Amino acid sequence: MPARKKIIAANWKMNMTVADTETFLATFRRAVEGVSGVEIVIAPPFTSLPRLSELLGSSQQIRLGAQNFYHEKPGAFTGEVSALMLRELFVRYVIIGHSERRQIFGETDALINKKVLAACATELLPILCVGETLAEREAGKEKDVLRTQLEGALRSVPEEDVLDAVIAYEPVWAIGTGVNATPEQAQDAHAHVRLVLAELYTEAVAKKIRIQYGGSVKPENAASLMSQPDIDGALVGGASLEARSFAQIVRAALRP
Ligand code: PGA
């Protein structure tokens, strides 16, 4: 079976103006020149998507991602953006279920499931985030939490769609804190995610799905995290805002 291609995604969150985006891309492109064999995704704020889409053109090296969308068809949903609007800009991936959306904006597994289904129906590929809080880990419940989140988010999602999805394991206690999960902790969680996927689908399907780690990924820890057998890439917040540090993380994915 061919190895899973590593996928490194930048989640810029509510950072970067259009001008910042242009400066970033110019530096980043030079820094990853000639890099192949790893998929790179940039998920800027909505306001930067049109410009980034224009600048990337038909780039096969760097793909466009969105941080969110609303699952309904176009209509009276003030403040929201539809899947079709993203497709028009050649957005390929969409982050769904990020812990900030769950915690700050109250997104539930049921809503996340609707978004996953709507994304797949529009040919947007979900980057589905799951992860436990510190309290859940301290109570020894992290595996149950991951199972519940995966079962909820993937309800009725057919095999052919889940194969194109990416799962991001992001322990909430590691996001933006500077405290990353150790490679062993992350590997343990990733192996569990793959086990749950095998139960929900088949082992063959589970083996093909890419699982990224997210939470304080930096140039210094990226290679050791990604050397683990079930870690197929990284979803990067803070360290993706600086072109050179994001490029270093991309290059870390190339190491055996
Ligand atoms: P961080 O964020 O890299 O700043 O910890 C990761 C994320 O929230 O996706």
Short mmCIF file of all heavy atoms in Angstrom, two decimals, residues 186-227:
data_model
loop_
_atom_site.label_atom_id
_atom_site.label_comp_id
_atom_site.label_asym_id
_atom_site.label_seq_id
_atom_site.Cartn_x
_atom_site.Cartn_y
_atom_site.Cartn_z
N ALA A 186 1.16 11.76 21.52
CA ALA A 186 0.45 12.00 20.25
C ALA A 186 0.27 10.69 19.50
O ALA A 186 -0.83 10.39 19.02
CB ALA A 186 1.20 13.03 19.41
N GLN A 187 1.32 9.89 19.42
CA GLN A 187 1.23 8.61 18.71
C GLN A 187 0.14 7.72 19.32
O GLN A 187 -0.65 7.10 18.61
CB GLN A 187 2.59 7.89 18.72
CG GLN A 187 2.58 6.42 18.31
CD GLN A 187 1.99 6.17 16.92
OE1 GLN A 187 2.05 7.04 16.04
NE2 GLN A 187 1.39 5.00 16.73
N ASP A 188 0.08 7.70 20.64
CA ASP A 188 -0.91 6.89 21.34
C ASP A 188 -2.34 7.33 20.94
O ASP A 188 -3.20 6.50 20.64
CB ASP A 188 -0.67 7.08 22.85
CG ASP A 188 -1.49 6.12 23.67
OD1 ASP A 188 -1.52 4.94 23.30
OD2 ASP A 188 -2.11 6.56 24.66
N ALA A 189 -2.54 8.64 20.91
CA ALA A 189 -3.86 9.17 20.53
C ALA A 189 -4.16 8.88 19.06
O ALA A 189 -5.28 8.50 18.70
CB ALA A 189 -3.93 10.66 20.81
N HIS A 190 -3.15 9.05 18.20
CA HIS A 190 -3.37 8.81 16.77
C HIS A 190 -3.70 7.34 16.51
O HIS A 190 -4.57 7.03 15.68
CB HIS A 190 -2.11 9.21 15.97
CG HIS A 190 -2.01 10.69 15.76
ND1 HIS A 190 -1.77 11.26 14.52
CD2 HIS A 190 -2.13 11.72 16.63
CE1 HIS A 190 -1.74 12.58 14.66
NE2 HIS A 190 -1.94 12.88 15.93
N ALA A 191 -3.00 6.45 17.21
CA ALA A 191 -3.29 5.03 17.03
C ALA A 191 -4.73 4.74 17.45
O ALA A 191 -5.43 3.94 16.82
CB ALA A 191 -2.31 4.19 17.84
N HIS A 192 -5.18 5.42 18.51
CA HIS A 192 -6.56 5.23 18.96
C HIS A 192 -7.55 5.76 17.91
O HIS A 192 -8.56 5.10 17.61
CB HIS A 192 -6.77 5.92 20.30
CG HIS A 192 -8.17 5.79 20.81
ND1 HIS A 192 -8.71 4.58 21.22
CD2 HIS A 192 -9.17 6.70 20.93
CE1 HIS A 192 -9.97 4.77 21.58
NE2 HIS A 192 -10.27 6.04 21.41
N VAL A 193 -7.25 6.92 17.36
CA VAL A 193 -8.12 7.48 16.31
C VAL A 193 -8.21 6.49 15.15
O VAL A 193 -9.30 6.20 14.64
CB VAL A 193 -7.58 8.85 15.81
CG1 VAL A 193 -8.29 9.29 14.52
CG2 VAL A 193 -7.72 9.92 16.89
N ARG A 194 -7.08 5.90 14.78
CA ARG A 194 -7.10 4.97 13.65
C ARG A 194 -7.90 3.70 14.00
O ARG A 194 -8.61 3.16 13.17
CB ARG A 194 -5.66 4.62 13.23
CG ARG A 194 -5.57 4.32 11.74
CD ARG A 194 -4.17 4.09 11.23
NE ARG A 194 -3.27 5.21 11.23
CZ ARG A 194 -3.33 6.25 10.40
NH1 ARG A 194 -4.28 6.31 9.49
NH2 ARG A 194 -2.47 7.25 10.47
N LEU A 195 -7.80 3.29 15.26
CA LEU A 195 -8.57 2.13 15.71
C LEU A 195 -10.08 2.41 15.62
O LEU A 195 -10.86 1.58 15.13
CB LEU A 195 -8.19 1.82 17.16
CG LEU A 195 -8.89 0.66 17.82
CD1 LEU A 195 -8.13 -0.62 17.50
CD2 LEU A 195 -8.95 0.84 19.34
N VAL A 196 -10.48 3.59 16.06
CA VAL A 196 -11.91 3.95 15.99
C VAL A 196 -12.35 4.02 14.53
O VAL A 196 -13.43 3.54 14.17
CB VAL A 196 -12.19 5.29 16.72
CG1 VAL A 196 -13.64 5.73 16.53
CG2 VAL A 196 -11.86 5.18 18.21
N LEU A 197 -11.50 4.58 13.66
CA LEU A 197 -11.84 4.64 12.24
C LEU A 197 -12.00 3.23 11.66
O LEU A 197 -12.90 2.99 10.85
CB LEU A 197 -10.76 5.41 11.45
CG LEU A 197 -10.66 6.91 11.75
CD1 LEU A 197 -9.42 7.51 11.09
CD2 LEU A 197 -11.92 7.66 11.30
N ALA A 198 -11.16 2.32 12.11
CA ALA A 198 -11.25 0.93 11.63
C ALA A 198 -12.56 0.31 12.09
O ALA A 198 -13.18 -0.48 11.36
CB ALA A 198 -10.06 0.12 12.12
N GLU A 199 -13.00 0.67 13.29
CA GLU A 199 -14.27 0.14 13.78
C GLU A 199 -15.46 0.75 13.03
O GLU A 199 -16.44 0.07 12.74
CB GLU A 199 -14.41 0.42 15.28
CG GLU A 199 -13.53 -0.51 16.12
CD GLU A 199 -13.46 -0.08 17.57
OE1 GLU A 199 -14.31 0.71 18.02
OE2 GLU A 199 -12.52 -0.52 18.25
N LEU A 200 -15.37 2.03 12.74
CA LEU A 200 -16.47 2.71 12.04
C LEU A 200 -16.53 2.33 10.57
O LEU A 200 -17.59 2.31 9.96
CB LEU A 200 -16.33 4.23 12.15
CG LEU A 200 -16.44 4.85 13.56
CD1 LEU A 200 -16.20 6.35 13.51
CD2 LEU A 200 -17.83 4.57 14.14
N TYR A 201 -15.35 2.05 9.98
CA TYR A 201 -15.28 1.67 8.57
C TYR A 201 -14.61 0.29 8.50
O TYR A 201 -15.15 -0.66 9.03
CB TYR A 201 -14.55 2.76 7.76
CG TYR A 201 -15.31 4.08 7.82
CD1 TYR A 201 -15.04 5.03 8.82
CD2 TYR A 201 -16.34 4.35 6.93
CE1 TYR A 201 -15.77 6.21 8.90
CE2 TYR A 201 -17.08 5.53 7.00
CZ TYR A 201 -16.79 6.45 8.00
OH TYR A 201 -17.52 7.60 8.09
N THR A 202 -13.43 0.25 7.88
CA THR A 202 -12.68 -1.02 7.87
C THR A 202 -11.23 -0.67 8.18
O THR A 202 -10.82 0.49 8.11
CB THR A 202 -12.72 -1.68 6.48
OG1 THR A 202 -12.05 -0.80 5.56
CG2 THR A 202 -14.12 -1.96 6.00
N GLU A 203 -10.46 -1.70 8.45
CA GLU A 203 -9.04 -1.47 8.73
C GLU A 203 -8.34 -0.88 7.51
O GLU A 203 -7.49 0.01 7.64
CB GLU A 203 -8.39 -2.81 9.12
CG GLU A 203 -7.14 -2.59 9.90
CD GLU A 203 -6.76 -3.82 10.70
OE1 GLU A 203 -7.66 -4.47 11.29
OE2 GLU A 203 -5.57 -4.12 10.71
N ALA A 204 -8.71 -1.37 6.34
CA ALA A 204 -8.07 -0.86 5.11
C ALA A 204 -8.35 0.63 4.94
O ALA A 204 -7.46 1.41 4.57
CB ALA A 204 -8.58 -1.64 3.91
N VAL A 205 -9.58 1.05 5.22
CA VAL A 205 -9.93 2.47 5.12
C VAL A 205 -9.14 3.26 6.16
O VAL A 205 -8.52 4.29 5.86
CB VAL A 205 -11.46 2.67 5.33
CG1 VAL A 205 -11.81 4.14 5.53
CG2 VAL A 205 -12.23 2.11 4.14
N ALA A 206 -9.12 2.75 7.38
CA ALA A 206 -8.43 3.47 8.47
C ALA A 206 -6.95 3.68 8.14
O ALA A 206 -6.37 4.72 8.46
CB ALA A 206 -8.58 2.70 9.77
N LYS A 207 -6.37 2.72 7.47
CA LYS A 207 -4.94 2.80 7.14
C LYS A 207 -4.66 3.87 6.10
O LYS A 207 -3.54 4.33 5.96
CB LYS A 207 -4.44 1.46 6.61
CG LYS A 207 -4.07 0.50 7.72
CD LYS A 207 -3.31 -0.69 7.17
CE LYS A 207 -2.99 -1.66 8.28
NZ LYS A 207 -3.04 -3.05 7.85
N LYS A 208 -5.68 4.23 5.33
CA LYS A 208 -5.46 5.21 4.26
C LYS A 208 -5.71 6.64 4.71
O LYS A 208 -5.31 7.60 4.04
CB LYS A 208 -6.41 4.90 3.09
CG LYS A 208 -6.00 3.68 2.31
CD LYS A 208 -6.88 3.51 1.09
CE LYS A 208 -6.65 2.16 0.46
NZ LYS A 208 -7.81 1.66 -0.25
N ILE A 209 -6.43 6.83 5.82
CA ILE A 209 -6.82 8.19 6.23
C ILE A 209 -5.65 8.88 6.93
O ILE A 209 -5.00 8.31 7.79
CB ILE A 209 -8.05 8.13 7.16
CG1 ILE A 209 -9.24 7.53 6.39
CG2 ILE A 209 -8.41 9.52 7.69
CD1 ILE A 209 -10.48 7.33 7.22
N ARG A 210 -5.42 10.13 6.53
CA ARG A 210 -4.32 10.87 7.14
C ARG A 210 -4.76 11.53 8.44
O ARG A 210 -5.84 12.10 8.53
CB ARG A 210 -3.78 11.90 6.15
CG ARG A 210 -3.11 11.21 4.97
CD ARG A 210 -2.63 12.17 3.94
NE ARG A 210 -3.72 12.91 3.33
CZ ARG A 210 -3.53 13.88 2.45
NH1 ARG A 210 -2.32 14.25 2.09
NH2 ARG A 210 -4.56 14.50 1.91
N ILE A 211 -3.91 11.42 9.44
CA ILE A 211 -4.20 11.99 10.76
C ILE A 211 -3.08 12.97 11.11
O ILE A 211 -1.92 12.58 11.27
CB ILE A 211 -4.31 10.91 11.85
CG1 ILE A 211 -5.27 9.78 11.41
CG2 ILE A 211 -4.77 11.53 13.17
CD1 ILE A 211 -5.34 8.60 12.38
N GLN A 212 -3.45 14.25 11.18
CA GLN A 212 -2.46 15.29 11.53
C GLN A 212 -2.45 15.50 13.03
O GLN A 212 -3.47 15.34 13.69
CB GLN A 212 -2.89 16.64 10.94
CG GLN A 212 -2.92 16.76 9.46
CD GLN A 212 -3.46 18.12 9.05
OE1 GLN A 212 -4.52 18.56 9.49
NE2 GLN A 212 -2.74 18.80 8.18
N TYR A 213 -1.31 15.95 13.51
CA TYR A 213 -1.25 16.40 14.91
C TYR A 213 -1.27 17.93 14.91
O TYR A 213 -0.64 18.58 14.06
CB TYR A 213 0.04 15.91 15.59
CG TYR A 213 0.23 16.62 16.91
CD1 TYR A 213 -0.50 16.23 18.04
CD2 TYR A 213 1.05 17.75 17.01
CE1 TYR A 213 -0.40 16.93 19.22
CE2 TYR A 213 1.16 18.45 18.20
CZ TYR A 213 0.43 18.04 19.30
OH TYR A 213 0.50 18.74 20.46
N GLY A 214 -1.97 18.51 15.87
CA GLY A 214 -1.96 19.97 16.04
C GLY A 214 -1.91 20.33 17.50
O GLY A 214 -2.49 19.64 18.36
N GLY A 215 -1.21 21.42 17.80
CA GLY A 215 -1.08 21.89 19.19
C GLY A 215 0.38 22.21 19.46
O GLY A 215 1.17 21.32 19.75
N SER A 216 0.71 23.51 19.32
CA SER A 216 2.07 24.00 19.59
C SER A 216 3.14 23.29 18.75
O SER A 216 4.24 23.02 19.23
CB SER A 216 2.40 23.91 21.09
OG SER A 216 1.53 24.75 21.83
N VAL A 217 2.79 23.00 17.49
CA VAL A 217 3.83 22.48 16.57
C VAL A 217 4.74 23.64 16.20
O VAL A 217 4.29 24.73 15.88
CB VAL A 217 3.19 21.86 15.29
CG1 VAL A 217 4.29 21.44 14.32
CG2 VAL A 217 2.32 20.67 15.65
N LYS A 218 6.05 23.37 16.27
CA LYS A 218 7.06 24.39 15.98
C LYS A 218 8.16 23.72 15.15
O LYS A 218 8.24 22.49 15.11
CB LYS A 218 7.70 24.87 17.30
CG LYS A 218 6.73 25.46 18.30
CD LYS A 218 7.43 25.86 19.58
CE LYS A 218 7.43 24.79 20.63
NZ LYS A 218 6.38 24.59 21.52
N PRO A 219 9.04 24.53 14.54
CA PRO A 219 10.13 23.91 13.78
C PRO A 219 10.94 22.94 14.65
O PRO A 219 11.40 21.92 14.16
CB PRO A 219 10.99 25.11 13.35
CG PRO A 219 10.03 26.25 13.29
CD PRO A 219 9.03 26.00 14.40
N GLU A 220 11.07 23.24 15.92
CA GLU A 220 11.91 22.39 16.80
C GLU A 220 11.28 21.04 17.14
O GLU A 220 12.01 20.10 17.48
CB GLU A 220 12.22 23.08 18.14
CG GLU A 220 12.79 24.49 18.06
CD GLU A 220 11.71 25.53 17.87
OE1 GLU A 220 10.95 25.78 18.82
OE2 GLU A 220 11.62 26.12 16.77
N ASN A 221 9.96 20.94 17.15
CA ASN A 221 9.37 19.65 17.55
C ASN A 221 8.69 18.90 16.39
O ASN A 221 8.25 17.77 16.55
CB ASN A 221 8.39 19.83 18.73
CG ASN A 221 7.22 20.75 18.39
OD1 ASN A 221 6.89 20.94 17.22
ND2 ASN A 221 6.60 21.34 19.40
N ALA A 222 8.63 19.56 15.22
CA ALA A 222 7.84 18.98 14.11
C ALA A 222 8.38 17.62 13.65
O ALA A 222 7.62 16.67 13.46
CB ALA A 222 7.79 19.95 12.95
N ALA A 223 9.70 17.52 13.50
CA ALA A 223 10.25 16.28 12.94
C ALA A 223 10.03 15.10 13.88
O ALA A 223 9.66 14.01 13.43
CB ALA A 223 11.74 16.45 12.65
N SER A 224 10.22 15.31 15.19
CA SER A 224 10.06 14.17 16.09
C SER A 224 8.59 13.75 16.17
O SER A 224 8.29 12.55 16.27
CB SER A 224 10.64 14.46 17.48
OG SER A 224 9.99 15.55 18.05
N LEU A 225 7.67 14.71 16.12
CA LEU A 225 6.25 14.34 16.11
C LEU A 225 5.94 13.54 14.84
O LEU A 225 5.32 12.47 14.89
CB LEU A 225 5.37 15.58 16.19
CG LEU A 225 5.27 16.24 17.58
CD1 LEU A 225 4.83 17.69 17.48
CD2 LEU A 225 4.30 15.45 18.46
N MET A 226 6.40 14.06 13.71
CA MET A 226 6.02 13.42 12.44
C MET A 226 6.79 12.14 12.14
O MET A 226 6.49 11.45 11.17
CB MET A 226 6.14 14.42 11.30
CG MET A 226 4.98 15.41 11.32
SD MET A 226 4.93 16.43 9.87
CE MET A 226 6.13 17.68 10.27
N SER A 227 7.77 11.81 12.98
CA SER A 227 8.48 10.54 12.78
C SER A 227 7.67 9.37 13.35
O SER A 227 8.01 8.21 13.13
CB SER A 227 9.86 10.59 13.43
OG SER A 227 9.69 10.65 14.83
#
